[in-house]
Structure formats: C-alpha cells, structure tokens
Amino acid sequence: MGPEKYDATATSMVGLLKYGAGLPFNRIETLQAGMGIPLPAATQWDLVRKAAPVLAPVHAELLHQAAQAPVLYNDDTTMKVLQLTRAQRAAALADDAHTEYSPLTYSFKEPMKRPVRPY
C-alpha cells in the first residue's frame, strides 16, 4: 500500500458506480456502510474530482470517436413494440438512410472545470 488513504481502484470503482451504473453518492455511501466501510458522499466526490484531470484525455478521445460515428442510437425506454407493418418498417429505414446526424453533444449534471493539460 502507498501513502494514499484511498487506492486508485477505490477511486475508479466509485466513478464506475456513479457514472457507469448511475448510483448517487449517497447510495454508494449506504452500500459501503452496509459492508462496514465508512465512505461519505463528500469523500467520494473528492476522489472522483481529483481523478478527473487524469481521465480528461480519455474522455476527449471518446467524444472524438463518438463524433465520427455516422449514427448514435440510445433508447432506454422499456416500451415493447408489438407490431410494426412492413410499410412502417420500410419508411423508418428509408428515413434513417437519408438523415444526416449531428455530432454527439454532451452535458453534465454536475459542473466540472475543464482540466488544463500538463503538456
């Protein structure tokens, strides 16, 4: 173990739970408390905030790669389409083939300052 109180794997796990799985910091705090590990929400935010500059180049590259994609689909609805006629399906496919899509745009729920690159 190094001199740091929290290992890099703890920081990455908190970030993954928060931004990958969508768990709020207070729920992660409750989860950790249930395992006998005190990890306050404020501490989690500090860990993620300190790791952000290191991950900024990765984030920028992911945005760049996503912007190069011809189409980006994201539908998290749970509605099941029971029936789609052939004409409706053909029309939808034709619309997709002729539609130009704008580059991916991003928004953050929590404002973060843009990190300055060290190089």
Side-chain angles (χ1 to χ4, degrees), residues 4-86:
E4 297 290 323
K5 182 173 182 176
Y6 297 99
D7 175 286
T9 59
T11 301
S12 62
M13 193 60 182
V14 168
L16 182 62
L17 288 171
K18 169 69 173 159
Y19 299 104
L23 285 174
F25 288 137
N26 62 334
R27 286 199 187 151
I28 300 170
E29 179 179 356
T30 303
L31 175 70
Q32 291 297 111
M35 292 185 267
I37 302 168
L39 188 60
T43 301
Q44 295 172 50
W45 172 245
D46 288 340
L47 291 171
V48 171
R49 184 177 46 83
K50 287 176 187 171
V54 176
L55 299 172
V58 175
H59 181 256
E61 181 59 24
L62 287 172
L63 287 177
H64 174 75
Q65 292 293 326
Q68 306 312 310
V71 180
L72 176 68
Y73 291 104
N74 181 25
D75 184 1
D76 60 358
T77 60
T78 57
M79 183 185 86
K80 184 175 182 179
V81 177
L82 299 176
Q83 186 176 14
L84 194 60
T85 66
R86 285 184 190 208

